[in-house]
């Protein structure tokens, strides 16, 4: 007799449970790594050493004494922003590496004179750091 009071609640309960499971299914998953069109991560890693980026940054697997003038770049590929306010997207990162002063005047990041192609390679490497 009392079951007719419980049955109307079951669909709502089932829907609520399904929504909770769907929400939790997305937890803990990492987004796919960002890709830089035309970028070569291996070359980018070599360029980071060539341009002595480790003078200011600690960068995994890049030779050189890690500096601390800039932030460490481990897990850079998971960051949301470049320099604290520029969305971390491939086009913005490439432009940042090519000419940081144009992106954020007065930034401590120097213009190293990298070419647009080198900036793409360096960005491709940075996005591998997860």
């Amino acid at each position: 007799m009392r079951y007719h009071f419980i049955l109307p609640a079951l669909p709502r309960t089932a829907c609520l449970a399904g929504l909770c499971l769907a929400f939790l299914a997305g937890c803990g998953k990492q987004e796919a790594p960002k890709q830089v069109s035309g970028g070569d991560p291996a070359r980018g890693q070599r360029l980071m050493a060539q341009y002595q980026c480790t003078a200011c940054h600690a960068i995994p697997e890049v030779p050189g004494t890690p500096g601390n003038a800039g932030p460490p770049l481990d897990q850079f590929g998971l960051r949301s922003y470049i320099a604290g306010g520029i969305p971390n997207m491939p086009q913005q990162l490439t432009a940042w590496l090519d000419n940081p002063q144009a992106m954020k005047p007065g930034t401590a990041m120097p213009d190293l004179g990298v070419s647009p192609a080198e900036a793409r390679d360096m960005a491709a490497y940075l996005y591998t750091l997860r």
Side-chain angles (χ1 to χ4, degrees), residues 47-57 59 73 95-102 107-116 118-119 122 126:
L47 287 166
M48 300 290 276
Q50 177 184 323
Y51 281 101
Q52 300 177 357
C53 299
T54 58
C56 295
H57 301 278
I59 311 169
L73 299 181
W96 170 259
L97 293 168
D98 183 33
N99 189 350
Q101 297 297 321
T107 184
M109 175 80 171
D111 184 352
L112 298 173
V114 303
S115 71
E118 290 173 325
M122 294 165 81
L126 287 171

